Amino acid sequence: MALTLQQQNSILQLMLAMFKTAPGASNLMFLGSLLQSGQSLASLAQSLTESSLFFDRQYAAYLKPDEFAVKFVHDLVGDRVSISDKCLVVDYLTHRMIAGATQGELIAELMSTLSPIPASNLNWGKAASHHNTRNATKVVTHLLGSTFTPANIAVVVDYMLAQMAAGKTFGEMIVWAIDTVIGVDHDNVVWGKAAVLFNNRIEVSKYYSVDKAGSTIDKAALRQILAKVTVDNETVAAAKMTIDHLLCNDSGLSTDAVDDFQFDKILVIKKNKVLPMPQGTAKRTELMV
């Protein structure tokens, strides 16, 4: 079944806000099919926030379980938790991986556990607060670009964090941020330029993902193309020309890089049944209290 215009636009907007890139034809159809099956946009956004793609870290497949666990935990929480708490989680992840869990499953599991922890939590609150602030800042910066000052971006981020502390999910706040930008008049003194910028980048994303049905330009290249799109309409035309050139000269395109940005693989990983906890380690709910 073909996507409705609203479903199509929702996916294009979500990809630009979360990943600063275009989905491409295959991702657009897969993610759109989830909306067609009844999943809400906020729920889909929440699932994506807990994915390895949104975390934007790549870990070599050859890493031993303990090596992966140490690297991932350090990347996620840094020095914001005690060494003993970090060791507890590293031990847990190591045992889970030995039992058969994948890197993607463990990344999703730990991020979904960390995000809801209140900032007041003595052990993990600082790490959770930093994690949520970093993620919200990423999304808001993708949406607003240089049309807002860092100070004004921080105001929007603080509002999102306050709503999350009051019970909203990050996915719901991503949808709120998108709706806020696309819903304002282009002449609006505060948000107008952001709306024009986002609209121009969506036009380029649609050109690649829908008009050209492209799926062969990698995420990094698309990000570079979209980053050059401004409120000036001439930059939209230039971006489309660049896309045409790359699609006509695909010898330099990276198949591996494109394969790394396939949501049908990532979200299938998240749906897999969680393996039982090995005996002798703390239960998941006991790790961060």
Side-chain angles (χ1 to χ4, degrees):
M1 181 186 300
L3 300 180
T4 66
L5 183 60
Q6 181 179 355
Q7 291 167 339
Q8 174 183 288
N9 287 339
S10 292
I11 298 301
L12 293 172
Q13 292 161 359
L14 191 63
M15 290 297 98
L16 190 55
M18 294 188 66
F19 300 98
K20 201 177 181 180
T21 192
S26 58
N27 280 327
L28 178 61
M29 292 307 299
F30 171 72
L31 295 173
S33 71
L34 299 180
L35 298 183
Q36 288 180 323
S37 67
Q39 186 171 8
S40 70
L41 186 62
S43 172
L44 176 57
Q46 185 64 33
S47 294
L48 293 173
T49 66
E50 298 164 2
S51 70
S52 57
L53 284 177
F54 187 69
F55 188 52
D56 210 15
R57 297 287 194 281
Q58 298 293 325
Y59 299 98
Y62 61 75
L63 289 176
K64 297 178 181 178
D66 59 330
E67 294 173 336
F68 161 73
V70 169
K71 287 180 179 293
F72 170 48
V73 171
H74 177 75
D75 288 343
L76 185 62
V77 303
D79 298 323
R80 297 173 187 86
V81 298
S82 68
I83 294 177
S84 60
D85 282 336
K86 286 175 68 174
C87 288
L88 179 63
V89 175
V90 166
D91 181 64
Y92 169 74
L93 295 179
T94 300
H95 280 83
R96 289 272 285 110
M97 201 165 183
I98 290 173
T102 66
Q103 291 182 1
E105 286 175 326
L106 297 178
I107 289 172
E109 182 177 346
L110 193 54
M111 290 202 300
S112 64
T113 302
L114 179 63
S115 183
I117 294 176
S120 58
N121 184 284
L122 295 180
N123 292 343
W124 291 89
K126 187 176 180 180
S129 179
H130 178 267
H131 175 68
N132 290 332
T133 301
R134 178 178 58 190
N135 287 343
T137 301
K138 179 195 300 186
V139 169
V140 174
T141 302
H142 289 173
L143 278 169
L144 305 180
S146 60
T147 66
F148 269 43
T149 65
N152 287 336
I153 285 177
V155 171
V156 180
V157 169
D158 287 345
Y159 175 79
M160 292 176 67
L161 295 175
Q163 292 299 306
M164 290 166 64
K168 294 287 187 180
T169 67
F170 186 30
E172 289 174 324
M173 295 315 299
I174 291 173
V175 174
W176 167 83
I178 293 171
D179 288 344
T180 299
V181 172
I182 65 175
V184 299
D185 190 273
H186 289 185
D187 294 327
N188 184 284
V189 176
V190 178
W191 293 85
K193 286 186 177 180
V196 174
L197 175 65
F198 193 60
N199 184 70
N200 284 353
R201 289 177 173 173
I202 288 296
E203 182 178 342
V204 173
S205 178
K206 177 180 178 294
Y207 181 75
Y208 170 68
S209 305
V210 179
D211 299 344
K212 293 295 183 178
S215 292
T216 56
I217 301 177
D218 65 62
K219 178 177 62 174
L222 286 169
R223 280 179 171 173
Q224 291 177 356
I225 293 170
L226 288 165
K228 294 179 180 179
V229 176
T230 68
V231 296
D232 186 346
N233 287 333
E234 291 184 1
T235 63
V236 174
K240 291 179 179 180
M241 289 180 61
T242 301
I243 289 171
D244 288 340
H245 175 75
L246 289 175
L247 291 177
C248 290
N249 300 274
D250 60 1
S251 59
L253 300 180
S254 171
T255 302
D256 291 339
V258 173
D259 288 343
D260 288 341
F261 195 62
Q262 292 296 322
F263 288 101
D264 55 340
K265 299 176 182 178
I266 297 299
L267 294 185
V268 164
I269 285 175
K270 285 175 55 56
K271 290 179 181 178
N272 286 345
K273 184 177 180 180
V274 175
L275 297 172
M277 176 73 69
Q279 292 184 355
T281 61
K283 295 181 180 179
R284 174 184 172 188
T285 54
E286 297 173 346
L287 288 176
M288 296 181 175
V289 296

